[in-house]
Amino acid sequence: MENHKFKAHPWHGIKAGDRAPELVTCFIEIVPTDTVKYEVDKETGYLSIDRPQKYSNIIPALYGFIPQTYSGDRVAELTNLELGRTDIEGDNDPVDICVLTEKDITHGDIIVKARPIGGFRLLDHNKADDKLIAVLENDAIYSTFNSINDVPSTVIDRLKHYFTTYKDIPGDKFPRCILTEIYDVATAHEIIRRSIEDYQIYMDGK
């Protein structure tokens, strides 16, 4: 019987990378020119429209997730430890990642190689919703960055504004997403390691 090749499921059919957590494969869902938020449908693997972007709230970087990761108990444990809490859970999604590049990439539904340099510790309704920050491998400008501290403050501020407002609904009295910490590369690596373990536990239980 002839072997057929099919498009891999972006979450389950692509590996995080042999050099993870130092260098990871990322599936990009949305880019800065998108005026709607796309996200992968977990069942089919196709991109689906999540919601239109409000106002001028546009993602300032490539945005997607690391395949074969999962924000479960191991990721939540680190957040609880860092915040001195016990009530935070994982958000049950693959770990999100922003990829900085000087290139104009016009559409998502692609995979890229990126090097994590830090991240944002976010809580979404008391669930761990980390946003890792990475640089595109071999990027002409950003590949020289080795730490979140190398990123210009204007870029950090734009990312902070996006992630602390993009899920808000007009009329809300309180923000849905709370930024509790900006962390450096070592913590980003630990999040990735734990999320890979969470993914293995998640798949073993299915």
Side-chain angles (χ1 to χ4, degrees):
M1 183 177 178
E2 183 182 355
N3 290 327
H4 294 278
K5 297 293 184 181
F6 299 95
K7 180 180 177 180
H9 192 293
W11 186 14
H12 305 297
I14 303 170
K15 294 182 179 179
D18 295 334
R19 293 172 56 191
E22 288 81 11
L23 183 70
V24 295
T25 300
C26 311
F27 179 80
I28 302 303
E29 297 167 297
I30 58 176
V31 300
T33 54
D34 288 328
T35 56
V36 297
K37 185 178 183 299
Y38 301 100
E39 66 177 31
V40 164
D41 177 76
K42 290 180 180 178
E43 181 177 353
T44 66
Y46 283 95
L47 282 180
S48 62
I49 294 177
D50 180 32
R51 61 184 175 274
Q53 301 284 46
K54 302 193 313 297
Y55 314 124
S56 60
N57 199 2
I58 304 299
I59 182 71
L62 307 182
Y63 180 55
F65 61 85
I66 304 175
Q68 296 189 12
T69 62
Y70 185 75
S71 180
D73 291 343
R74 296 282 289 134
V75 170
E77 179 185 45
L78 183 60
T79 300
N80 278 312
L81 286 171
E82 292 295 330
L83 298 181
R85 295 174 57 170
T86 60
D87 60 317
I88 296 168
E89 301 176 347
D91 70 354
N92 301 325
D93 282 331
V95 169
D96 298 319
I97 192 165
C98 290
V99 180
L100 302 175
T101 175
E102 57 96 18
K103 297 297 184 185
D104 291 326
I105 297 175
T106 59
H107 66 87
D109 199 22
I110 59 172
I111 56 175
V112 302
K113 297 287 188 181
R115 182 165 47 80
I117 60 170
F120 294 168
R121 176 166 287 115
L122 279 173
L123 297 182
D124 181 350
H125 286 175
N126 276 335
K127 291 188 176 182
D129 189 17
D130 289 83
K131 309 297 183 185
L132 301 184
I133 310 299
V135 296
L136 186 69
E137 184 183 28
N138 298 322
D139 187 82
I141 295 176
Y142 287 101
S143 64
T144 62
F145 293 2
N146 296 306
S147 162
I148 194 73
N149 297 317
D150 296 328
V151 182
S153 60
T154 52
V155 175
I156 294 295
D157 288 344
R158 291 176 66 198
L159 288 167
K160 285 167 59 177
H161 178 265
Y162 179 80
F163 287 121
T164 55
T165 62
Y166 80 124
K167 289 186 178 180
D168 290 349
I169 299 173
D172 282 351
K173 293 183 178 180
F174 303 101
R176 174 169 169 174
C177 294
I178 304 297
L179 175 63
T180 66
E181 181 187 358
I182 299 176
Y183 49 73
D184 209 355
V185 60
T187 301
H189 287 176
E190 182 65 13
I191 290 288
I192 294 168
R193 282 189 285 265
R194 286 171 176 260
S195 67
I196 291 173
E197 294 172 3
D198 273 338
Y199 178 81
Q200 294 168 344
I201 293 169
Y202 169 72
M203 293 305 292
D204 287 344
K206 287 180 71 68

